[in-house]
Amino acid sequence: MGRIERLLRGAPDAALVGVRRDAHAAPCAATLRQLPEVFRRLERPFLLHCKSGADRSGLARALCVLHEGAAVAQARRHLSLRYLHMCRASAGVLGRVLDHRSRWLEQGPSGIENWVRSGYDPEAAQAGFER
C-alpha cells in the first residue's frame, strides 16, 4: 500500500482516483480523454499527487485549468520551475503537450475535449521535444 493510500485510509470521505502516467513520454490520447471526466466527478477541493509532485501533477493541473476555460499561458504556469518542473529534463516533454494545444488553437477556438479527441497527437508532441 502506497503512502497516499495509507493517508486516505483515515479519511472516510476521501476518494482515490488513479490515472497512470509516465513523466518521460507524451501521454497517450486515451489518458488525456480520461482526465476531463475525472475533473467533472471530483469534489472541490481535490489533491493532485505524483511521485515528485512536479511533472505529472503539473500537467494534470494544467489540463484541469484548461478544462475550466483558462488560457494556455495560465495553464503553463503549473509546469514551471516554481513547481520544480525542469523543462530541459526528460519530463520536459509534458510541456510540449501544452505547445501542441497552443498550435491547435491557432486554427480557432476549440474545447479541450474536442482537441484531445480530434487534434492531440502524442507522437508529434514527443517528436517536438526530442528535436
Side-chain angles (χ1 to χ4, degrees):
M1 180 180 295
R3 186 175 66 190
I4 295 298
E5 289 87 355
R6 284 192 303 274
L7 287 171
L8 290 176
R9 245 189 334 185
D13 293 337
L16 177 63
V17 178
V19 177
R20 292 208 170 270
R21 277 274 317 109
D22 179 1
H24 306 289
C28 68
T31 297
L32 292 190
R33 280 192 300 271
Q34 270 183 295
L35 291 174
E37 179 58 33
V38 169
F39 297 146
R40 274 193 290 278
R41 286 192 331 225
L42 290 175
E43 291 184 37
R44 295 337 192 233
F46 60 87
L47 170 70
L48 284 169
H49 175 72
C50 68
K51 181 180 175 190
S52 300
D55 305 307
R56 289 167 289 187
S57 58
L59 178 61
R61 181 63 185 142
L63 292 170
C64 181
V65 299
L66 287 173
H67 177 72
E68 293 170 348
V72 174
Q74 182 180 353
R76 191 175 301 282
R77 293 182 199 148
H78 298 282
L79 276 173
S80 67
L81 187 56
R82 177 180 184 183
Y83 298 107
L84 304 177
H85 174 72
M86 306 291 184
C87 63
R88 301 220 188 283
S90 60
V93 68
L94 301 182
R96 297 299 295 191
V97 172
L98 299 180
D99 296 341
H100 198 271
R101 171 72 175 153
S102 291
R103 283 192 298 282
W104 176 260
L105 287 172
E106 290 171 3
Q107 302 172 29
S110 175
I112 186 92
E113 292 179 66
N114 182 46
W115 168 66
V116 170
R117 268 192 320 275
S118 309
Y120 174 64
D121 181 355
E123 289 81 19
Q126 186 72 39
F129 177 72
E130 290 171 359
R131 269 188 242 123

